[in-house]
Amino acid sequence: MTRAKIHHLSTSQQVAPANHLPENDEALFSEMLDKWATRRTGSLRQKVKSVMGDITIVREMTAFVGSAPWYWSEDDFDRWCEVIGVQRNLAVATQRKYQSAIRNFLAYIVDNVKFKNDIRRQYGIDLRQICTSENCIPHVHERELSVERGSFTHDEITLFFEAYDRAIQEAAKFRAKDLRPLQRDKALFFLLYACGLRISEALALDIGSFSPKPEIPEFGPYGVVSVWGKGSRGSGKKFRSVPVTHHLLPPLLDWYIKSVRPKFLLVADANEQALFLSERGKRLGVSSLEARFKHGLELAGLLEKNLTPHSFRHASVTHESLRFSLEAVRRKHGHVYSATTQGYMHINDGMVSEEINRVIASQIDRIKSK
């Protein structure tokens, strides 16, 4: 198929244009769709029918939201997914196809330097990916592999953060420009692990999202984290309080907020409340977090382990289950059902043996001390 025909299909009445987009928005949006279609049918050799089906889906969500893709948010995507899943009751496989179309389109324009610059220049907005593993239906093979690749081990967690300590020392020694991002990333990733937060929850945090826990005054103002977490069955986001259970987190947060974050504020709005900021002074986005996480894996030599940022949440559930009851772990991580919490646990024979030996040794110590 010729390029002219592809352009005609991506902008013709066969794919209804989004409702009420301003003329400039529609022109740029159509160009994005045209280039995306050309890439897929050209160098990627994908079938025209499949490409045009995905363009129809992107147009459909655009009409639903009522604005161009560079204005979309995670909430817009959640509302649209509720419509196709609950109201229209599409099959799970069809819902997954719809989500993949949106995710792939956004991935294309986010990685396209021209479109990123056009959007930043014309609208003052940074293109970002709003579809993640947290708000999309996983493929069957992803669900099957979740146990094998879902969690950090204790040794890997130690290796990961030791690598950050070394990298920060090295960057400080040579006054490298990556020093501040490394310092921010250490605080961000340790918070993800210590509190078992979802990516969206951590990135939505503000500096006022913490409060003291009177029962543990040693943690100062960082005894509890207030988050808006994932709801169940289309119920929308739910508020929950996450208790801080790791003694190293409060001093790390205090250091970050007092010594590191102010340096990001030099290029930020004076009233910016976001806890984690990009180098441009904006709230850190999902795509930036994922890129920085990959950098962290490289530092620690863990790239081959198939870990994702969500692996911190799996590791948190796994490691906390060795310290607290299942009910305590369930509540901390915001799961409705204990079965969901158990699905996050990655307990191997060595960990079970270690726990048994520790309990027995503790009992023997108590007997000897009498």
Side-chain angles (χ1 to χ4, degrees):
M1 178 169 285
T2 65
R3 179 169 302 198
K5 288 184 177 180
I6 292 173
H7 175 75
H8 173 70
L9 282 171
S10 65
T11 57
S12 71
Q13 294 302 313
Q14 294 182 23
V15 181
N19 296 334
H20 310 302
L21 281 189
E23 184 177 348
N24 288 343
D25 289 9
E26 176 59 36
L28 181 54
F29 180 39
S30 295
E31 182 185 358
M32 290 175 171
L33 291 174
D34 183 26
K35 299 294 186 183
W36 188 43
T38 302
R39 162 76 65 83
R40 294 179 60 185
T41 58
S43 59
L44 300 181
R45 309 304 298 168
Q46 296 178 2
K47 294 182 179 179
V48 172
K49 181 178 179 181
S50 175
V51 173
M52 299 319 301
D54 286 352
I55 288 178
T56 300
I57 293 169
V58 175
R59 283 281 189 187
E60 182 180 316
M61 179 167 167
T62 306
F64 171 80
V65 177
S67 61
W70 45 93
Y71 294 112
W72 293 351
S73 67
E74 287 83 354
D75 286 339
D76 293 326
F77 184 67
D78 288 344
R79 289 190 298 110
W80 182 70
C81 289
E82 182 179 11
V83 168
I84 65 175
V86 179
Q87 297 181 21
R88 294 172 58 183
N89 196 29
L90 298 181
V92 172
T94 304
Q95 294 177 55
R96 187 187 298 119
K97 173 179 170 60
Y98 276 47
Q99 291 177 348
S100 295
I102 302 300
R103 187 173 189 170
N104 292 338
F105 172 69
L106 291 175
Y108 169 72
I109 62 175
V110 166
D111 289 339
N112 188 294
V113 176
K114 175 187 180 302
F115 291 140
K116 287 177 68 174
N117 290 337
D118 286 345
I119 295 300
R120 187 177 295 124
R121 183 178 63 255
Q122 295 182 39
Y123 303 93
I125 296 173
D126 287 324
L127 280 170
R128 65 190 188 91
Q129 174 65 269
I130 63 171
C131 309
T132 69
S133 58
E134 294 183 5
N135 59 12
C136 290
I137 301 171
H139 289 279
V140 174
H141 73 276
E142 290 175 338
R143 292 198 296 268
E144 291 171 345
L145 291 174
S146 62
V147 173
E148 286 87 351
R149 70 178 192 178
S151 181
F152 284 88
T153 65
H154 275 113
D155 288 343
E156 288 167 348
I157 281 289
T158 300
L159 189 64
F160 185 85
F161 289 110
E162 284 181 348
Y164 265 95
D165 289 338
R166 290 193 300 271
I168 289 171
Q169 291 175 2
E170 192 77 6
K173 179 180 179 180
F174 294 100
R175 298 183 179 180
K177 64 179 182 180
D178 203 33
L179 175 60
R180 281 185 296 164
L182 285 169
Q183 293 172 326
R184 175 204 61 204
D185 295 348
K186 179 184 176 181
L188 168 58
F189 294 140
F190 196 79
L191 177 64
L192 283 173
Y193 167 63
C195 289
L197 300 185
R198 300 177 178 92
I199 299 171
S200 57
E201 293 171 345
L203 294 181
L205 291 176
D206 294 329
I207 55 174
S209 296
F210 302 93
S211 57
K213 190 171 185 179
E215 299 87 346
I216 312 178
E218 294 82 1
F219 284 2
Y222 307 107
V224 178
V225 188
S226 300
V227 303
W228 284 95
K230 180 181 177 183
S232 59
R233 299 187 178 183
S235 63
K237 295 183 182 300
K238 290 184 178 180
F239 176 84
R240 80 178 195 278
S241 296
V242 181
V244 173
T245 58
H246 202 299
H247 70 284
L248 293 179
L249 182 59
L252 180 62
L253 287 173
D254 193 59
W255 164 75
Y256 169 73
I257 291 175
K258 292 180 178 178
S259 302
V260 179
R261 184 177 176 274
K263 297 173 183 176
F264 287 91
L265 288 173
L266 295 175
V267 293
D269 184 276
N271 298 316
E272 179 59 65
Q273 297 297 304
L275 179 62
F276 295 109
L277 302 170
S278 70
E279 287 86 331
R280 297 188 181 92
K282 304 291 185 180
R283 186 181 295 272
L284 196 68
V286 174
S287 58
S288 296
L289 181 148
E290 291 177 337
R292 296 300 301 179
F293 176 74
K294 182 178 179 181
H295 180 57
L297 293 180
E298 291 176 339
L299 293 174
L302 295 173
L303 269 180
E304 302 302 319
K305 295 295 183 177
N306 293 320
L307 297 163
T308 72
H310 200 57
S311 298
F312 287 121
R313 184 166 165 84
H314 281 257
S316 176
V317 172
T318 300
H319 300 163
E320 294 284 67
S321 69
L322 301 178
R323 304 171 60 206
F324 304 106
S325 68
L326 175 61
E327 180 62 14
V329 177
R330 180 191 72 78
R331 293 189 183 189
K332 172 178 177 176
H333 294 87
H335 292 146
V336 176
Y337 304 107
S338 296
T340 305
T341 307
Q342 289 175 310
Y344 274 71
M345 293 179 181
H346 304 259
I347 310 294
N348 56 40
D349 291 342
M351 295 174 71
V352 172
S353 177
E354 179 183 338
E355 181 180 8
I356 292 174
N357 293 338
R358 185 174 65 251
V359 172
I360 293 175
S362 177
Q363 292 174 338
I364 292 175
D365 288 341
R366 284 200 299 270
I367 293 173
K368 289 181 177 180
S369 64
K370 290 182 179 179

